[in-house]
Amino acid sequence: MRLERLTANKIKIFLTSDDLFDRGLSKEDIWKDSIKWNQLFHDMLEEASEEFDVDIQGSVAVEVFSLQAQGMILIITVDEVIEDEEILYDGFIEMQVRVEGYEDLLYEFDEFEDIIGLAKRLSTVNIYGGSLYAWNNRYYLLMDNLESEKNIRAACVLSEFGNASILSPYVLAEYGKRIIENQAVETILHFFK
């Protein structure tokens, strides 16, 4: 499980499929066993509270983004933040959960060198294609239309070089700058041997 504080009242949690398995859960269980998931949310809030040295109270919105073959990203938003940007705890947490799923793989990278290394590694497992974008001083690689077996392999390799992104491919297409369309891996290999 990886935690990241996005704002004073928003925390991003990335759970891999292994993290879910270790807790006796699967992505499908979110609809079946609400008691297990409710306990997981409370455990995650407690861990986030300890990690960022804040306490959580009141109404909490949990957005769950199911990433195919990778796990899940949860964005936890606390409705109320006091002036000094600490979140207070009164022992009661009310959660509202929204679930979305993505079929495509979208990863973000800090450095272009990471993408060059990624392209070389993807080519060794015969995975090509993808579209490369830049937005807000980050690079994004969208791998779409992969067969399910290649999708799982690609997710494993992508997670070695970058982080799964919760951005929608549509938002990225609208606001990001497309650098390479549909043949990112091949193009990068051609120019950066």
Side-chain angles (χ1 to χ4, degrees), residues 1 3 6 9-15 20 25 30-31 34 36-46 48 56-66 72-79 92-101 166:
M1 180 166 70
L3 299 167
L6 301 175
N9 68 333
K10 198 173 277 199
I11 296 170
K12 174 175 150 183
I13 300 173
F14 178 66
L15 288 168
L20 294 172
L25 292 165
I30 198 165
W31 300 116
S34 62
K36 276 186 179 179
W37 273 98
N38 209 4
Q39 183 60 46
L40 174 65
F41 289 138
H42 280 280
D43 292 346
M44 287 186 304
L45 290 175
E46 189 175 303
I56 298 174
Q57 80 161 357
S59 180
V60 176
V62 180
E63 296 176 72
V64 180
F65 298 91
S66 177
M72 307 180 113
I73 290 180
L74 296 94
I75 303 293
I76 298 172
T77 306
V78 179
D79 285 343
F92 173 73
I93 298 172
E94 173 192 336
M95 287 186 277
Q96 305 157 2
V97 179
R98 191 178 90 203
V99 179
E100 295 183 22
I166 59 164

Side-chain angles (χ1 to χ4, degrees), residues 58-156:
S59 180
V60 176
V62 180
E63 296 176 72
V64 180
F65 298 91
S66 177
L67 304 170
Q68 186 180 38
Q70 300 141 269
M72 307 180 113
I73 290 180
L74 296 94
I75 303 293
I76 298 172
T77 306
V78 179
D79 285 343
E80 210 171 288
V81 178
I82 61 171
E83 282 180 17
D84 64 355
E85 294 189 355
E86 284 192 24
I87 303 167
L88 297 177
Y89 176 70
D90 67 0
F92 173 73
I93 298 172
E94 173 192 336
M95 287 186 277
Q96 305 157 2
V97 179
R98 191 178 90 203
V99 179
E100 295 183 22
Y102 292 132
E103 295 297 318
D104 302 329
L105 300 174
L106 179 61
Y107 275 75
E108 62 184 55
F109 305 86
D110 293 325
E111 304 290 331
F112 191 76
E113 286 77 21
D114 295 332
I115 297 170
I116 295 170
L118 170 67
K120 290 176 181 177
R121 179 74 176 96
L122 285 173
S123 70
T124 64
V125 290
N126 291 325
I127 296 175
Y128 298 97
S131 297
L132 182 64
Y133 294 86
W135 189 39
N136 288 339
N137 299 318
R138 298 181 80 76
Y139 296 97
Y140 295 85
L141 183 64
L142 173 64
M143 300 296 289
D144 52 358
N145 301 321
L146 292 176
E147 303 163 10
S148 63
E149 182 182 310
K150 283 191 175 186
N151 219 14
I152 293 169
R153 254 187 289 153
C156 293

